[in-house]
């Protein structure tokens, strides 16, 4: 099955995201998908909180003049902004944009909050919906008109150095986030012609989907003083002078969920990292006739395993059907308990990642933790292997690059060379230049067909 | 100080919600306010999850024809809907509403999800922003154009009885929610002229703010088959027939946060229920000269109390200033540690609710739990006392009702009488009829000036 077909199919069958909502590029997070989203964004929230970020919530609507204040920024977004023009039966005096991203809304407030260098650093983030009037083909959780989940962080600092340090911290946070999820990535400094509108420079994380296309999954921007000059975010320096704030911002979206699905899934369906699995363990009692023992044992076991997210599946349907369902839904570990197991004081374990079945003694439950860790480790390794197989290092040769991008696909790395590093390169190779990157200690230009 | 002035002042000084955003009725949840919001909505999420509700996430945008499908419903909202009419530079073919509430979006999907009686019950909820183009005076967290936080639950059932049971369950959930927060309420069945547009009947929770005005803080609606008939949500019954789904919905908004602030606050500022306080305990070491002992003791104590949300305030400012700040911010319990306390193996406790100071032995930390429980109990009692003082029971006498509403204010209860229970009553008494209610075992008509 082709990847994009597999992807649509799994979103539907595993009940993650329902695309049948009657607006293009808008859909519904179903209970199972919502739980994956919740646990995934809990990880990034925790990482940000631990490093001194505060969660906040800004309005969705941005007045037209505010959005248009930063020239580069509005140029980058004006073709894809949704506009509110009416309230009730009245025409609004001023058009209101649905945030495509929140720099302008947030920096208007930063001006009010920042007076003196001790008011900084400010490190805030919010998890909100944002909107893009996409004219391209939309795809659930990958290219949406309503991006259901955008974690955007915004910071302000009193020195250039602090802002640069913040960029590094953001990159470290995102590394830890994707490492936790077992999602491999390449970090590139985006070329100047592809940086965030209004940024000084942009770093981006790209991963590779099973169809060999690269996909941007996170960005980190050093905004320098571009926005602070526009929004007049001036502060008093320690020596009594005046300066404009140094700013950064960085974001992660629903694509984190899309990546979990795409990178770890297989022909059987989802394969979820235990850390985000709505159920980490499903227990299936094998009930024969009136033998209640397996069910009782299962209940006992569920109680013993209550530090995990456990689902006891006691529905009155064939075990085989249950097995298929939970494999499709990617539950990392299944426990089966039948009369034989009880007799032998064992439980049967099934690992979703390797599809292996084996037994452990019923009094060795502490092994479950090891097994879950091993599942994660194995998933991570498999994902990195696939990712690295998709990386091709070669010299600059337009025909070979095009040929590789069309057949093997993936990301191509060519030794960094200033003289060819320009936007014409994209036209020549008929692909995107992801930017400058380091790979195993060497500097390259990264090229790929992208989402 | 007048209540509305106190309220605005406290939102600003305790850094809960910044109203300076440049759109009327829109504001920013600041870090401290956001935390209160987070813990408050965690309570309702937990209550809903425990009773078999699933969290989901629906799109913000609703196509015009979908919103207009249910006649009563659209009539109730059409004057206050924000409309998106343009995407980029293009005019949209179909106008899109910013959800004022999500019945129409959700029930469109219910039709796709419900085929047979075993597909039900469906019990879902989401926590989202909703929009009303308010022409009335807006107030932060009370009457917003962007309601930042709307917890809306929607259910579908295969029988009328199940829907009625669900209404009761929802009322029980909301009771538990407000009881947990120590927010007193009166539950009324709203009069037919004031029920939710499209509902069969509506129950509402009202509390009373310190200015004596009643405020609706939760609603529960039995939608019967009104929406299911419009949205064609038909299912196969157990006996092979067809029927329309029986539906309910119920909601809670930012007003829960406004109530926590308004009901428990006092002239010193916020007084937060421990369950939602961003910091349940603040530790202030009293540092004299180079004596590091209090700080070390404070750190030790913080470690011992890590099952609570504890803030160790070791800033280099006067303790008195710290005390004022944390009292303003409503931290339930403060621990002070000075050299004398250390000498006597004691710690000094300050309760925000009673403003009492006393000492406990440093090895009696288990008492903290009792004290926090006692704080909550005391806050609850105080709030109920104030609430009951605002309830006036009297016979039907228009002049006396008006006089009481203008002076003592609060809620007036008059013995239920069918013959006066109509919308003209509101004109006569120049106030709102909250509806039919039971108070201490008797049936009344509740009347109040409302927010």
């Amino acid at each position: 099955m082709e990847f994009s077909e597999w992807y649509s199919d799994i979103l539907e069958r595993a009940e993650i995201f329902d695309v049948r909502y009657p607006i293009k590029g808008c859909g519904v997070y179903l209970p199972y998908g919502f739980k994956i989203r919740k646990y995934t964004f809990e990880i990034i929230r925790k990482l940000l909180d631990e490093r001194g970020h505060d969660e906040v919530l800004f309005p969705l609507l941005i007045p037209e003049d505010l959005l248009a204040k930063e020239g580069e920024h509005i140029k980058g977004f004006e073709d894809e902004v949704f506009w509110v023009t009416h309230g009730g039966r009245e025409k609004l005096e001023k058009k209101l944009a649905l945030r495509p991203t929140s720099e302008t809304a947030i920096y208007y407030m930063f001006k009010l909050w920042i007076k003196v260098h001790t008011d900084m650093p400010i490190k805030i983030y919010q998890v909100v919906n944002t909107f893009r009037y996409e004219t391209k083909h939309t795809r659930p959780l990958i290219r949406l008109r309503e991006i259901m989940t955008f974690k955007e962080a915004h910071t302000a600092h009193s020195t250039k150095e602090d802002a640069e340090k913040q960029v590094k911290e953001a990159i470290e946070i995102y590394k830890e986030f994707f490492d936790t999820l077992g999602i491999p990535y390449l970090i590139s400094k985006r070329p100047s012609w592809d940086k965030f509108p209004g940024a000084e420079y942009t770093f981006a994380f790209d991963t590779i989907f099973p169809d060999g296309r690269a996909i941007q999954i996170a960005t980190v921007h050093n905004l320098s003083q571009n926005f602070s000059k526009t929004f007049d975010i001036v502060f008093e320096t320690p020596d009594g002078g005046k300066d404009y704030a140094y700013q950064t911002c960085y974001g992660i979206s629903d694509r984190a969920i899309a990546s979990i699905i795409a990178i770890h899934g297989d022909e059987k369906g989802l394969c979820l990292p235990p850390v985000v699995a709505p159920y980490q363990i499903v227990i299936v009692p094998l009930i024969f006739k009136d033998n209640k023992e397996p069910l009782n044992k299962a209940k006992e076991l569920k109680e013993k395993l209550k530090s995990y997210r456990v689902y006891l599946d006691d529905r009155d349907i064939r075990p085989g059907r249950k097995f298929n369902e939970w494999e499709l839904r990617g539950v990392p570990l299944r426990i089966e308990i039948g009369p034989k197991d009880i007799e032998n004081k064992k439980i049967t374990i099934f690992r979703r990642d390797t599809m292996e079945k084996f037994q452990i003694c019923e009094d060795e439950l502490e092994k479950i933790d090891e097994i879950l860790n091993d599942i994660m480790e194995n998933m991570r390794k498999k994902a990195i292997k696939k990712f690295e197989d998709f990386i091709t290092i070669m010299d600059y040769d337009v025909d070979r690059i095009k040929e590789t991008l069309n057949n093997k696909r993936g990301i191509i790395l060519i030794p960094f060379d200033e003289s060819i590093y320009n936007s014409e390169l994209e036209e020549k190779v008929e692909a995107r230049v992801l930017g400058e990157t380091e790979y195993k200690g060497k500097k390259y230009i990264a090229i790929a067909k992208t989402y």
Side-chain angles (χ1 to χ4, degrees), chain A residues 222-448:
Chain A
N222 189 337
L223 304 176
S224 186
Q225 296 178 309
N226 295 342
F227 281 89
S228 63
K229 284 181 179 166
T230 309
F231 283 84
D232 196 34
I233 308 173
V234 179
F235 65 96
E236 196 183 312
T237 58
D239 58 13
K242 295 277 176 196
D243 198 2
Y244 291 99
Y246 299 84
Q247 296 181 263
T248 81
C249 64
Y250 31 105
I252 277 184
S253 72
D254 295 300
R255 286 184 172 189
I257 312 294
S259 302
I260 292 169
I261 296 166
I263 301 277
H264 298 302
D266 61 23
E267 69 289 347
K268 287 274 185 181
L270 291 183
C271 183
L272 293 173
V275 68
V276 300
Y279 307 114
Q280 298 167 313
I281 301 170
V282 61
I283 306 177
V284 180
L286 306 175
I287 304 166
F288 297 95
K289 292 182 196 144
D290 285 338
N291 186 350
K292 288 267 181 210
E293 256 195 294
L295 182 59
N296 291 337
K297 199 77 191 171
K299 284 179 183 163
E300 206 180 281
L301 209 54
K302 189 184 172 188
E303 181 57 29
K304 282 186 186 157
L305 294 171
K306 68 182 171 193
S307 65
Y308 302 97
R309 297 189 288 267
V310 179
Y311 187 82
L312 168 54
D313 189 351
D314 58 359
R315 289 177 297 167
D316 188 19
I317 54 172
R318 283 188 309 102
R321 205 177 127 196
K322 293 182 187 178
F323 296 170
N324 285 337
E325 266 184 37
W326 295 115
E327 286 163 25
L328 171 74
R329 286 180 164 230
V331 174
L333 198 146
R334 184 171 76 229
I335 297 176
E336 302 167 18
I337 309 174
K340 271 242 174 78
D341 296 300
I342 295 174
E343 221 169 88
N344 302 328
K345 296 190 183 305
K346 303 237 168 186
I347 56 175
T348 300
I349 303 268
F350 170 85
R351 277 175 69 149
R352 174 64 183 85
D353 63 326
T354 56
M355 303 289 281
E356 289 170 315
K357 230 182 219 193
F358 54 92
Q359 292 191 313
I360 63 170
C361 290
E362 62 170 36
D363 55 5
E364 295 178 318
L365 290 184
E366 70 285 356
K367 279 197 181 163
I368 300 258
D369 219 42
E370 286 167 44
I371 299 169
L372 286 171
N373 286 338
D374 194 62
I375 288 174
M376 190 63 237
E377 207 37 60
N378 177 50
M379 287 174 64
R380 193 177 284 124
K381 273 190 202 144
K382 267 210 293 206
I384 290 173
K385 171 79 172 61
K386 277 193 261 178
F387 182 80
E388 295 201 327
D389 286 348
F390 264 133
I391 304 276
T392 309
I393 299 177
M394 59 165 76
D395 286 329
Y396 179 56
D397 173 336
V398 170
D399 290 338
R400 276 194 58 219
I401 291 174
K402 282 166 69 173
E403 195 261 316
T404 307
L405 285 174
N406 286 329
N407 297 313
K408 183 185 162 190
R409 299 174 162 248
I411 294 176
I412 304 223
L413 302 178
I414 56 174
F416 188 81
D417 176 351
E418 195 77 55
S419 71
I420 55 164
Y421 191 55
N422 52 50
S423 62
E424 280 102 75
L425 180 55
E426 297 196 330
E427 285 159 43
K428 281 185 201 149
V429 298
E430 291 165 10
R432 288 288 281 277
V433 171
L434 302 178
E436 294 175 51
T437 192
E438 267 204 22
Y439 188 73
K440 300 188 175 169
K442 284 192 186 150
K443 207 173 158 194
Y444 296 96
I445 299 173
I447 302 171

Side-chain angles (χ1 to χ4, degrees), chain A residues 20 23 53 66 211 289 396 404:
Chain A
R20 292 173 294 172
I23 300 180
H53 296 69
L66 201 58
D211 61 359
K289 292 182 196 144
Y396 179 56
T404 307

Side-chain angles (χ1 to χ4, degrees), chain A residues 40-136:
Chain A
T40 303
F41 282 83
E42 265 176 19
I43 298 170
I44 190 74
R45 279 182 158 108
K46 187 159 174 283
L47 291 172
L48 291 165
D49 291 350
E50 282 169 0
R51 285 170 181 85
H53 296 69
D54 281 310
E55 190 165 356
V56 295
L57 191 57
F58 276 74
L60 167 74
L61 300 170
I62 304 176
E64 182 180 21
D65 49 347
L66 201 58
L67 187 70
K69 214 164 174 163
E70 214 291 328
E72 285 294 314
H73 186 69
I74 181 67
K75 250 193 274 170
F77 288 106
E78 63 191 343
D79 286 339
E80 44 187 53
V81 171
F82 280 103
W83 291 105
V84 178
T85 58
H86 289 74
R89 298 158 207 267
E90 288 174 30
K91 190 167 183 227
L92 300 179
E93 273 175 45
K94 205 188 272 180
K95 284 200 292 185
L96 304 172
L98 305 191
R99 61 181 159 228
T101 171
S102 302
E103 282 72 17
T104 54
I106 294 178
Y107 305 159
Y108 176 91
M109 299 306 289
F110 272 13
K111 155 131 193 90
L112 303 174
W113 298 344
I114 296 169
K115 303 289 175 208
V116 55
H117 67 98
T118 50
D119 292 332
M120 289 175 284
I122 292 182
K123 294 160 70 172
I124 59 172
Y125 71 97
Q126 61 177 0
V127 182
V128 295
N129 50 351
T130 61
F131 294 82
R132 307 278 166 92
Y133 182 64
E134 293 286 353
T135 46
K136 288 191 217 171

